[in-house]
Amino acid sequence: MQKSGSPAMSFESLSPLILFTTISTISPGGATTLATASGVQFGFRRSVPLLVGIATGLASMAAAAALGLAGAIATFPSLQLAMKAVGSIYLLWLAWRIGNSGPPDPSKDLARPTRPITGVGLLWSNPKAWAMTMSAAASFSALAEGPGRLAVLLGCAFGIGAAVSLSLWCAAGQLLAQMLRAAWQWRAVNILLGLLLAVSIVPIWFDQ
């Protein structure tokens, strides 16, 4: 029997959160582009560690936001600026690596899939992602009793949402790779993905 005053956990009450996490995780951006590029270069199976890293990063961010860490970060503009700079530089480096690659070649450094820690760092160094999870924590606080339970709820919701959405993008990348035959086709696709990853940095700086 549910305690008096505890929020009801039903699909109807959770549907707004499910919709929010679905839209926010499946929308094109740096993480989805990186997942697609990994699917193109390495296939779905070898990209799983990266997908797990990104999903873990977003889940932990959402949990931290529910516990108040996102609000603390928002009070330090210099910290946000440093996070933007580090995240942007790293994304530009990844974009350059992807854009300069051709068909998969085991003898090259890019033949090694991006590590899971990269996915975590990609999310944690993005102030825009912090703002998104902080907004979710504020908007859906009534769904759970206390910050701890809210942290578990948001962590699970964003983690599962990211895992599903990124898997779809990665699978799309693998399907795309199966259609590539000539070296110039690989080069064109990788340049496009590199440019998209670079462009994904713009909202970090200008989308308020």
Side-chain angles (χ1 to χ4, degrees), residues 116-163:
I117 191 63
T118 298
V120 177
L122 177 67
L123 271 298
W124 276 72
S125 63
N126 188 339
K128 187 171 181 285
W130 278 109
M132 177 190 70
T133 53
M134 183 169 61
S135 173
S139 300
F140 303 108
S141 59
L143 292 178
E145 188 176 1
R149 292 185 179 182
L150 182 62
V152 173
L153 176 62
L154 293 187
C156 290
F158 276 95
I160 294 172

Side-chain angles (χ1 to χ4, degrees), residues 52-63:
V52 171
I54 297 175
T56 301
L58 186 56
S60 59
M61 284 182 68

Side-chain angles (χ1 to χ4, degrees), residues 64-157:
L67 296 173
L69 180 57
I73 291 176
T75 62
F76 295 99
S78 58
L79 178 58
Q80 291 189 62
L81 180 62
M83 291 168 64
K84 286 182 180 181
V86 171
S88 297
I89 291 171
Y90 190 65
L91 281 173
L92 285 173
W93 179 70
L94 286 175
W96 179 83
R97 289 183 67 198
I98 293 170
N100 280 276
S101 62
D105 184 351
S107 66
K108 294 183 178 180
D109 180 63
L110 192 60
R112 295 197 297 270
T114 308
R115 296 175 298 175
I117 191 63
T118 298
V120 177
L122 177 67
L123 271 298
W124 276 72
S125 63
N126 188 339
K128 187 171 181 285
W130 278 109
M132 177 190 70
T133 53
M134 183 169 61
S135 173
S139 300
F140 303 108
S141 59
L143 292 178
E145 188 176 1
R149 292 185 179 182
L150 182 62
V152 173
L153 176 62
L154 293 187
C156 290

Side-chain angles (χ1 to χ4, degrees), residues 163-206:
V164 173
S165 300
L166 293 170
S167 294
L168 294 175
W169 281 98
C170 184
Q174 179 173 294
L175 290 175
L176 177 61
Q178 293 174 359
M179 296 185 291
L180 303 179
R181 296 291 181 266
W184 71 267
Q185 293 175 325
W186 280 95
R187 188 61 184 267
V189 168
N190 287 328
I191 288 176
L192 176 60
L193 290 170
L195 288 174
L196 289 175
L197 187 59
V199 168
S200 72
I201 299 171
V202 175
I204 295 177
W205 292 91
F206 298 105

